[in-house]
Amino acid sequence: MSFTRRTEAANDPELVHRLSRRNMLGVAAGATAAALLGAAAPAAAAADTTASPGHGPGHGHGRPVLPPGRLGIQLYSLRDKVATLGFAAVFAELQKYGYDEVEYAGYGQGAAGPISLAQLKRLTRDHGLRPIGSHVGYYASDPGAYTFAQNLDRVLDDAAALGLPHIGTASGPWRYGSTVDGWKRCAEEFNRFGAAARKRGMKFYQHNHSEEFSFASDRPDVRLYDVLLAETDPDLVHLEMDIFWAYVGQYRYSVRPDGTPAPFDPLDYVLDQPHRYPLFHVKDGDRDDSAVPYGYRMTDVGDGDIDYRRFISAVNRTRHGRNAHHWQAEHDNPVDSLTFARKSSAHLHSLRERGH
């Protein structure tokens, strides 16, 4: 990493988040763990369905926007509760809130001791949840690191043991810098990871942050995300769009370094190649120009300005749309993670399509 990028990382919460996001800790649930949660929250089906700011009326009698059986949550959002209460207690709450799936943020070990992959798989399924994917690091300088580049077979072995249909990384293609050729080299490696995953019956995916939508340092007319899409095999490399960070990217990078306009709509990327986006992170934010440098402040889903009725409805209208995508609620640092999970599920279940 160059001095410039180290300096940026020290002053950029997004970069710090990406660099520090590691295996989430998990502990076995004790008999008293559920009691620590307090009174059980109402299930999503009975939750509040009032309209949310920025979205307009969301409830009614039309067809639900959210396809049945496709709501998940990225467990990174619940890392505090998993570390203190254990997976079983957290999964029990998610089941009450109406979640169908979970995306792991590592399989980790907690303060109370290890949990095996077999135990984690059983706990997940015993609570009516499907494991849909997991995030693993892209590369590291340590040859023994648990990353795709250093230990691909081990990563895929563990994913297979858990029965994951998808296995991916939240690391951007920055290994060789921010040039077009550097991203082409990363694309070659992603293709290799994707080919190996496909042989195991899984899909490899990359999760974006906002910087993927920036411009190449040697070709300021070229958006780096376009290089990633063009240079990866669409049958081998899939994308998990983090919708919040994509809208942040729209805010930050709709003008090229020379000042010429370069507008884009994150939804257009999906509609152009919907088959490449099996997974989404549903993360919300308040639009705020004072929120430097991102233009949005992260919120619980339903409390922000991202129009999820529009976004999910448009994806649903693509070929096989209602059956081809998975929607994972996420908040990087919620005020209360279980409240976030409950509210997000309630809001997404309340959305109804227009004209139905």
Side-chain angles (χ1 to χ4, degrees):
M1 179 182 288
S2 68
F3 174 78
T4 299
R5 285 191 60 75
R6 286 197 300 270
T7 303
E8 290 173 348
N11 296 284
D12 187 330
E14 179 187 345
L15 289 179
V16 171
H17 165 70
R18 289 210 310 272
L19 295 171
S20 66
R21 183 169 179 161
R22 294 295 182 261
N23 286 355
M24 183 180 64
L25 301 181
V27 297
T32 61
L36 297 176
L37 295 171
D48 175 32
T49 57
T50 56
S52 300
H55 297 275
H59 57 289
H61 301 292
R63 182 169 66 164
V65 166
L66 187 69
R70 294 297 174 127
L71 178 62
I73 192 165
Q74 165 52 253
L75 290 174
Y76 182 76
S77 305
L78 296 159
R79 61 196 180 277
D80 61 326
K81 294 298 190 293
V82 172
T84 56
L85 303 177
F87 280 109
V90 170
F91 288 166
E93 292 302 298
L94 296 178
Q95 187 176 29
K96 292 177 186 176
Y97 302 161
Y99 283 93
D100 309 294
E101 302 171 337
V102 292
E103 182 184 30
Y104 302 121
Y107 321 122
Q109 294 182 353
I115 181 170
S116 70
L117 296 180
Q119 289 172 320
L120 180 57
K121 180 179 180 179
R122 183 170 61 253
L123 283 176
T124 306
R125 297 186 183 278
D126 283 353
H127 290 90
L129 300 167
R130 291 187 300 274
I132 196 64
S134 183
H135 287 181
V136 176
Y138 167 18
Y139 70 94
S141 57
D142 177 5
Y146 189 77
T147 64
F148 282 97
Q150 277 64 48
N151 281 287
L152 178 60
D153 287 340
R154 183 181 166 200
V155 167
L156 295 181
D157 285 345
D158 289 350
L162 285 162
L164 299 181
H166 309 88
I167 182 69
T169 184
S171 303
W174 304 103
R175 184 178 189 181
Y176 306 108
S178 57
T179 65
V180 171
D181 283 343
W183 275 52
K184 286 182 177 181
R185 290 178 66 187
C186 290
E188 291 176 4
E189 294 185 341
F190 282 12
N191 284 333
R192 179 167 62 86
F193 305 155
R198 186 176 182 178
K199 288 180 180 178
R200 305 284 197 98
M202 292 176 278
K203 292 180 178 179
F204 169 79
Y205 64 94
Q206 192 266 343
H207 163 287
N208 66 276
H209 292 83
S210 71
E211 282 195 338
E212 281 88 336
F213 297 95
S214 65
F215 300 94
S217 56
D218 61 332
R219 288 284 308 278
D221 60 323
V222 175
R223 194 181 302 279
L224 287 170
Y225 196 69
D226 296 336
V227 177
L228 177 65
L229 288 170
E231 297 296 329
T232 51
D233 186 330
D235 293 327
L236 301 178
V237 177
H238 299 82
L239 292 310
E240 176 180 62
M241 179 175 281
D242 185 305
I243 299 168
F244 170 85
W245 287 123
Y247 276 99
V248 171
Q250 180 191 54
Y251 173 83
R252 298 179 72 185
Y253 304 113
S254 283
V255 177
R256 295 187 181 90
D258 66 0
T260 58
F264 72 94
D265 184 339
L267 179 59
D268 289 341
Y269 277 105
V270 181
L271 299 184
D272 187 50
Q273 299 187 69
H275 60 287
R276 297 201 72 176
Y277 293 89
L279 304 173
F280 292 91
H281 274 187
V282 180
K283 187 184 296 181
D284 213 343
D286 281 323
R287 182 72 172 80
D288 183 355
D289 285 335
S290 69
V292 179
Y294 301 128
Y296 287 86
R297 298 186 186 279
M298 200 176 294
T299 68
D300 291 349
V301 179
D303 289 345
D305 296 317
I306 298 176
D307 189 344
Y308 275 108
R309 176 165 56 185
R310 167 185 174 262
F311 196 103
I312 299 175
S313 294
V315 176
N316 286 344
R317 290 191 292 270
T318 63
R319 188 171 184 231
H320 307 306
R322 292 185 67 86
N323 298 314
H325 307 282
H326 304 262
W327 305 91
Q328 316 296 308
E330 188 186 34
H331 190 309
D332 292 355
N333 293 291
V335 173
D336 182 279
S337 58
L338 286 174
T339 298
F340 154 75
R342 177 182 56 78
K343 286 175 57 181
S344 300
S345 175
H347 175 73
L348 291 168
H349 278 103
S350 78
L351 296 177
R352 294 294 182 268
E353 293 182 353
R354 297 183 188 277
H356 287 271

